[in-house]
Amino acid sequence: MMTTAFAPATALPGTTVTVGSAAPARHHRPQGQHMSTVDPPSPTSPPSTSRPWFRRRGPLLATAAGVALALTATVVVIDHRMSSDLATAQDAWDSASTDLRAAVDDADELLAEISDQDMELDTSDLDAALVDAGDLLGTAVQTTSSRQARTRALHERATTATAIQSEVEEAASSLRTNYQERQLARVTADQSTALQNLRTQLESARTLLADSEGRVLDDANRIVLADAITTAEQAIEDAPTATGIEHGPAIEALTGHIDALSAAAGALSSAVEAVTADVAAWQAEQDRIAAEASTPESSESGDRPRHPTPGADRNPSGPTSTPPPAADPPADTTGDGGWVVEEETDLTACVDEHGNAWWC
């Protein structure tokens, strides 16, 4: 007996398979019996997972969907990586350009300081590096280009900025060394001059302090002068040296010492001026006292008595006496017999008890 059935996985639409214990028989249609068949699906009918054709194409569709998802994920990853690379390149350029601008600012300050000091130095290397820096910082990356192109351009600009920064810093360092050597020589000379001037001023101040002792009305300014002398002596002793230290700290130390010397010299000059004025005031007072001591009293400074008239009787009740004439009586110069009265500064009028007067 033969049995006819559909194969569950390998049967094709519209075919039959004979299964039995004997070998497969040739297909034939027995008389009076119809074969069981499966109608093929309509091209317009929707697929159904229960149909065999979909089960056969399912793995292919799944594979295609997986490939599409993988491609989508790959595109997303690539896009993210491109954005990340662009952001990294932008950060590198921002950092390099910031450092370059800082180096340019330092170089500009150095050039301005050298110009203020009127020093003739070779600045050609630094000037050329600053021109390159200005050209790079003055241009921008084209934002209309692709992300890959912008990323490459930003990386190249960052590398160039780093190289130019090194050129600027090296040129500025060399120029700064030359400038500091010149400046150190100038400051050293200024310090030497200030020291010499203060020493000379100090000697004069010491002499004045010694000579003014007891010759002032008040010692307050002499005390100030003594303190100023002590300060000046200490400023001279505190002179630093530029040997064995870097140019920058040496210049700073010498400049500070010059300021201290100038302050000490100013205080010393003011104190010397005040004591000199006190000595002059004291001397004027001494001159006034001496002048007053050499001037006679008012009672002694009046007019001496005039020469008595010859033959004049000063006391009618007493005897008449005529004082003796002077050793060299004055001549008659009036023409009418009168006498010229002269004051004798080396004679004194004497009067007796009768009122008679004479020169004695």
Side-chain angles (χ1 to χ4, degrees):
M1 181 176 177
M2 297 180 64
T3 305
T4 303
F6 296 104
T10 60
L12 296 176
T15 62
T16 59
V17 178
T18 303
V19 180
S21 58
R26 184 177 299 174
H27 294 284
H28 63 89
R29 180 182 296 174
Q31 186 177 3
Q33 185 178 359
H34 297 283
M35 297 289 294
S36 298
T37 61
V38 177
D39 296 332
S42 173
T44 59
S45 62
S48 174
T49 57
S50 63
R51 295 182 180 181
W53 74 269
F54 182 81
R55 287 197 296 266
R56 197 189 91 168
R57 290 174 174 82
L60 181 60
L61 295 174
T63 300
V67 171
L69 292 175
L71 290 175
T72 303
T74 301
V75 171
V76 171
V77 170
I78 293 174
D79 181 78
H80 176 73
R81 181 174 297 174
M82 291 173 60
S83 299
S84 177
D85 292 344
L86 180 59
T88 301
Q90 185 66 51
D91 292 340
W93 162 245
D94 291 341
S95 178
S97 61
T98 299
D99 293 341
L100 178 57
R101 287 188 177 91
V104 169
D105 292 340
D106 292 341
D108 288 338
E109 291 179 1
L110 176 61
L111 291 175
E113 185 176 355
I114 292 174
S115 178
D116 293 339
Q117 295 294 329
D118 294 332
M119 290 188 179
E120 296 295 335
L121 296 174
D122 184 10
T123 63
S124 57
D125 292 341
L126 182 57
D127 292 337
L130 291 177
V131 170
D132 294 338
D135 293 341
L136 180 63
L137 295 174
T139 59
V141 177
Q142 297 294 330
T143 58
T144 57
S145 58
S146 63
R147 283 183 293 180
Q148 295 92 332
R150 280 182 287 165
T151 299
R152 288 193 300 270
L154 289 172
H155 277 302
E156 292 175 357
R157 289 170 63 86
T159 302
T160 304
T162 302
I164 295 177
Q165 177 189 348
S166 298
E167 294 177 1
V168 171
E169 290 177 346
E170 290 176 2
S173 177
S174 178
L175 180 60
R176 183 177 288 106
T177 299
N178 295 334
Y179 166 64
Q180 288 180 343
E181 289 177 352
R182 295 277 191 91
Q183 190 178 21
L184 180 59
R186 177 181 294 181
V187 172
T188 301
D190 292 342
Q191 182 209 25
S192 178
T193 302
L195 281 170
Q196 184 61 37
N197 293 338
L198 184 58
R199 289 190 179 101
T200 302
Q201 188 177 359
L202 189 58
E203 290 299 325
S204 300
R206 289 170 178 159
T207 301
L208 176 62
L209 183 63
D211 294 345
S212 63
E213 184 177 2
R215 298 183 60 196
V216 293
L217 301 177
D218 187 355
D219 281 335
N221 287 328
R222 293 186 71 253
I223 295 174
V224 174
L225 177 59
D227 293 339
I229 290 174
T230 302
T231 302
E233 292 173 343
Q234 187 63 43
I236 293 175
E237 293 178 1
D238 292 340
T241 177
T243 305
I245 59 177
E246 296 181 356
H247 292 159
I251 293 172
E252 183 177 355
L254 292 177
T255 302
H257 185 237
I258 291 173
D259 294 339
L261 293 176
S262 299
L268 195 61
S269 178
S270 299
V272 167
E273 183 179 354
V275 173
T276 301
D278 287 349
V279 172
W282 176 87
Q283 186 62 49
E285 180 65 14
Q286 300 307 310
D287 293 343
R288 185 190 65 79
I289 294 174
E292 290 181 354
S294 63
T295 303
E297 296 294 336
S298 60
S299 61
E300 298 178 355
S301 61
D303 293 337
R304 296 182 181 275
R306 294 184 177 184
H307 196 289
T309 303
D313 187 3
R314 299 294 300 274
N315 187 359
S317 61
T320 302
S321 176
T322 302
D328 188 10
D332 181 8
T333 57
T334 60
D336 55 355
W339 294 92
V340 176
V341 179
E342 294 181 354
E343 290 186 11
E344 299 292 337
T345 58
D346 56 344
L347 297 177
T348 304
C350 296
V351 181
D352 61 5
E353 59 184 358
H354 302 290
N356 297 317
W358 67 93
W359 295 116
C360 60

